[in-house]
Amino acid sequence: MTHSPAQVTAVVPARNAEHLLPGCLDALRRTGVAEIIVVDGLSTDRTVEIARAAGARVLSDEGRGLPWARTLGVRNSNTPWVVLVDADVVFAPTGVADLLAELVEDGYDALQAGLESVAGPGYWGQALAHHHRTGRSRNWFGLVATIVDRELMLSLGFDDSFKSGEDIELRWRMRNAGLRTGVSRRVAVEHRFAADDFDFALDQFMMDGTGLGKMIRKHGWRGARLALLPAAAAVRGSALSLVKGQPRWLRYYAAFCWYNYAGVVKGISS
């Protein structure tokens, strides 16, 4: 049986993404997907206008958050597969077709594209991109640019209490159900950042830490080992920075570690 991007709907959650969305949607149109659904998160900029001008169907998550936005988009799709795409992602013209082929041929239940992170000239954006390119997390399945069977995604659903870290929570449930997930070895997408200043980096640190904290709260002792991840990543990143003669990244890893744990505390207590 032949599979093609015409059997795939792209679901793009977006909130105040007017600077990122044009590149994302233009690239998706070139992939040949059947439809693009943009789920708006009560944007106050031109996100909705840009999405409609690009030919996307626009829905609203009514402020219910990213997991709900993804679910809403999937529910409104009409194809066997969906590709969940963050607004900061740019696919190559054959990217969706190649990702679908790998999913089917290699027997995956859900497959994320590899991420090639890029950033502007600011220190914190450059540091985030460096971390993404060199950290072990680049090999962890997530939902940034991920293709999955529509019915499977609907049956799995999301835990809406997770405003961040929902990808980790879903990964755990899929693994426990015996489903096969992974990161593509054939397809990579460009992963951009909305900003490159400290405030943006801080928001990323806090969201990631909060997601880990919620996982610990939900899974108890089974999730407790997740508390080691920020420290392990900071130690590894700092060591590599010194070995490679790049001490400029030490400041980043110190902030990453500190604010991730601030987020962990928040997630456990909320």
Side-chain angles (χ1 to χ4, degrees):
M1 181 178 179
T2 301
H3 305 293
S4 78
Q7 298 170 294
V8 180
T9 296
V11 174
V12 184
R15 182 176 184 276
N16 292 336
E18 65 179 4
H19 299 299
L20 295 170
L21 203 56
C24 175
L25 299 185
D26 182 60
L28 282 172
R29 282 201 311 270
R30 296 172 188 271
T31 66
V33 293
E35 184 181 23
I36 302 171
I37 298 175
V38 172
V39 185
D40 176 60
L42 300 182
S43 296
T44 56
D45 64 2
R46 297 177 57 249
T47 291
V48 170
E49 178 185 342
I50 289 169
R52 286 176 175 155
R57 180 154 52 118
V58 179
L59 307 174
S60 173
D61 70 8
E62 299 177 348
R64 298 181 65 171
L66 183 56
W68 175 254
R70 289 190 173 118
T71 299
L72 181 63
V74 175
R75 283 179 180 167
N76 280 271
S77 64
N78 297 295
T79 53
W81 288 280
V82 293
V83 59
L84 304 174
V85 184
D86 285 358
D88 56 11
V89 162
V90 175
F91 267 91
T94 64
V96 173
D98 294 340
L99 197 62
L100 176 58
E102 186 176 357
L103 174 95
V104 174
E105 293 168 9
D106 293 353
Y108 286 102
D109 294 292
L111 184 65
Q112 179 187 276
L115 305 181
E116 294 296 335
S117 297
V118 298
Y123 171 82
W124 293 99
Q126 289 288 319
L128 281 165
H130 170 79
H131 188 186
H132 280 223
R133 290 194 299 266
T134 60
R136 290 182 174 177
S137 60
R138 67 174 294 146
N139 298 315
W140 297 349
F141 170 79
L143 301 172
V144 178
T146 301
I147 195 162
V148 61
D149 179 277
R150 175 184 182 273
E151 296 303 321
L152 175 61
M153 190 70 258
L154 289 176
S155 68
L156 290 168
F158 290 102
D159 184 334
D160 290 338
S161 68
F162 282 72
K163 301 305 180 185
S164 62
E166 75 283 354
D167 53 343
I168 301 175
E169 196 277 334
L170 178 65
R171 181 168 71 236
W172 274 41
R173 285 193 288 117
M174 294 185 78
R175 181 188 62 196
N176 292 338
L179 298 173
R180 188 177 183 213
T181 64
V183 177
S184 175
R185 297 182 180 275
R186 309 183 200 173
V187 180
V189 296
E190 182 179 276
H191 176 229
R192 303 165 293 163
F193 292 103
D196 58 5
D197 57 9
F198 176 73
D199 286 343
F200 178 78
L202 174 61
D203 187 53
Q204 300 296 300
F205 300 155
M206 291 296 295
M207 285 195 302
D208 290 347
T210 300
L212 291 176
K214 284 188 173 293
M215 285 290 292
I216 294 169
R217 180 185 176 97
K218 179 174 181 176
H219 294 281
W221 67 268
R222 289 195 306 117
R225 67 182 185 273
L226 293 173
L228 299 174
L229 290 180
V235 169
R236 180 179 182 273
S238 297
L240 287 176
S241 298
L242 291 174
V243 168
K244 295 181 178 180
Q246 299 175 323
R248 66 189 299 251
W249 303 129
L250 295 180
R251 178 162 58 113
Y252 165 85
Y253 285 109
F256 165 86
C257 190
W258 179 268
Y259 290 109
N260 259 260
Y261 280 115
V264 168
V265 172
K266 180 181 178 181
I268 292 174
S269 60
S270 62

